[in-house]
Amino acid sequence: MDLHERLLVQVSTRDVYDAVALAGHPGSGLVFTGQAAHDAVRMVRRRGYDGPLLADRRRYAGSARVRGTVRLSPDWIADQVESGATAPLTDSGYIGKGDHEALHTILEQALQWEGVIAVLPVHARWVAEDRTVLLRTVTDYGVRTALVIEDGPPYRPVPVTDGAGPGAAKMLVAAGDRPPYRPVPLPLLGAGVEAVAALAHGAEWAAVGVREVLRHLYPEPHEARGGWRRGGARSAFVPDRLEFVPVERLREETCGCSSCHGRPLSRLAEAEELEVNTHNAAALHRLRSRLLRATHRERWWRDLTRNAHTTKA
Ligand SMILES: [Zn+2]
């Protein structure tokens, strides 16, 4: 079983009972998050789920996060292999702005395990100004990787190479509080709609978080500004706007996913979290199916984001 063009759903370990319901789409799979993620993987395997399963320890997030120079745990790798994970992820720490030492330490350690995926939780600058260095370093080590991109201030957009004109780079990424960087062709963990953008730009696989906190890597120490960390709020993915919207702010837009059947999204304002997430997974997989049918994927994504912006204006 491989991860080729998979759009995974990233959930908490406590979501283990609902998770399989969200990962029934062809081309789907699950990423469990947290210290006991491998136990959730084992449980779901025992219940017969045969899609891809990953375990992200997420030591790189939160107020107690560790730096990327920390020693990676062989036990964590072994636990994942033993529990039936598709490929083991490293329990990496955070790679700050310009922290080359952390980046090299993670990749160097990952070399010791065959088939491991080195998790690279990076400051936003690594996918903007330092993008070339990042991609070259990853290629040099020849290790499989997965990025987690921290929210951050808007760094200078990297010019796009297709000559689409000023502002084009900005259009490659859907609106939100993410910096306007050009999608990186590497697998992506803990993302929002950027997961689909990554697939459109050649990433092997990508994972969409089931709730706000799993769709962002917040800078630490966290400053509560601009509505960041809307933790408990349920948000629904609005296909026409290409963004997640808190359910109480949903309008009369309709959705044609296999859960909504053309009904208005505003119906989700009173729905259980599982119902909201069932729509989210279905709507995002609909987008993935369209992506797979597109003859030129980057162009398809660019047109889609351009139209989404038009809708909003
Ligand atoms: Zn829907």
Side-chain angles (χ1 to χ4, degrees):
M1 174 181 24
D2 64 31
L3 291 161
H4 183 62
E5 291 179 341
R6 294 275 176 168
L7 181 61
L8 311 176
V9 180
Q10 185 151 0
V11 297
S12 306
T13 300
R14 67 183 160 92
D15 298 316
V16 64
Y17 296 104
D18 295 336
V20 173
L22 300 175
H25 302 276
S28 190
L30 289 166
V31 183
F32 285 102
T33 314
Q35 220 175 328
H38 58 291
D39 289 331
V41 167
R42 185 182 298 110
M43 202 171 193
V44 168
R45 276 282 179 255
R46 281 193 186 143
R47 289 165 72 201
Y49 183 74
D50 63 359
L53 292 174
L54 300 175
D56 179 8
R57 193 164 167 190
R58 222 166 190 256
R59 282 205 295 173
Y60 52 80
S63 54
R65 72 175 175 194
V66 297
R67 190 182 159 201
T69 48
V70 76
R71 197 178 81 92
L72 299 178
S73 164
D75 289 335
W76 174 248
I77 300 295
D79 283 345
Q80 291 173 80
V81 172
E82 181 268 335
S83 66
T86 302
L89 302 183
T90 60
D91 57 344
S92 310
Y94 169 69
I95 304 169
K97 181 165 65 176
D99 193 350
H100 293 262
E101 189 188 354
L103 175 65
H104 284 273
T105 306
I106 292 168
L107 291 168
E108 187 69 47
Q109 292 184 84
L111 283 173
Q112 67 185 298
W113 298 295
E114 185 125 4
V116 83
I117 296 175
V119 175
L120 303 177
V122 294
H123 183 277
R125 190 189 159 104
W126 282 105
V127 294
E129 287 97 326
D130 298 339
R131 173 195 172 97
T132 311
V133 180
L134 174 70
L135 290 175
R136 197 177 51 224
T137 308
V138 164
T139 306
D140 286 350
Y141 275 90
V143 177
R144 295 174 80 187
T145 56
L147 290 181
V148 189
I149 302 168
E150 189 179 47
D151 292 9
Y155 281 88
R156 180 173 56 80
V158 176
V160 285
T161 50
D162 63 358
K170 208 163 193 161
M171 284 192 287
L172 290 172
V173 172
D177 46 9
R178 300 275 185 144
Y181 56 84
R182 185 170 174 234
V184 181
L186 292 175
L188 193 58
L189 283 164
V193 72
E194 301 87 356
V196 182
L199 290 180
H201 287 76
E204 186 196 2
W205 55 271
V208 178
V210 82
R211 60 182 66 89
E212 217 49 28
V213 71
L214 292 175
R215 285 191 287 271
H216 294 269
L217 174 57
Y218 299 107
E220 295 292 340
H222 173 66
E223 294 166 42
R225 61 184 162 103
W228 282 2
R229 195 166 282 184
R230 293 186 287 261
R234 291 161 303 145
S235 296
F237 178 67
V238 180
D240 292 345
R241 289 156 69 177
L242 284 185
E243 61 181 2
F244 286 86
V245 174
V247 290
E248 62 278 4
R249 300 218 314 257
L250 289 167
R251 297 197 297 256
E252 288 307 301
E253 291 126 324
T254 57
C255 174
C257 84
S258 55
S259 170
C260 295
H261 307 288
R263 289 179 286 174
L265 284 170
S266 54
R267 76 187 178 89
L268 294 171
E270 304 300 324
E272 295 288 323
E273 188 178 25
L274 180 59
E275 195 178 347
V276 177
N277 288 332
T278 301
H279 148 77
N280 289 343
L284 284 157
H285 270 276
R286 221 164 160 241
L287 208 52
R288 174 186 173 273
S289 302
R290 287 172 60 194
L291 162 71
L292 297 190
R293 287 196 303 268
T295 44
H296 188 299
R297 293 181 180 184
E298 291 190 23
R299 189 180 301 151
W300 171 81
W301 178 254
R302 194 173 59 236
D303 291 346
L304 198 68
T305 50
R306 190 174 289 150
N307 292 336
H309 277 250
T310 310
T311 306
K312 207 188 293 180

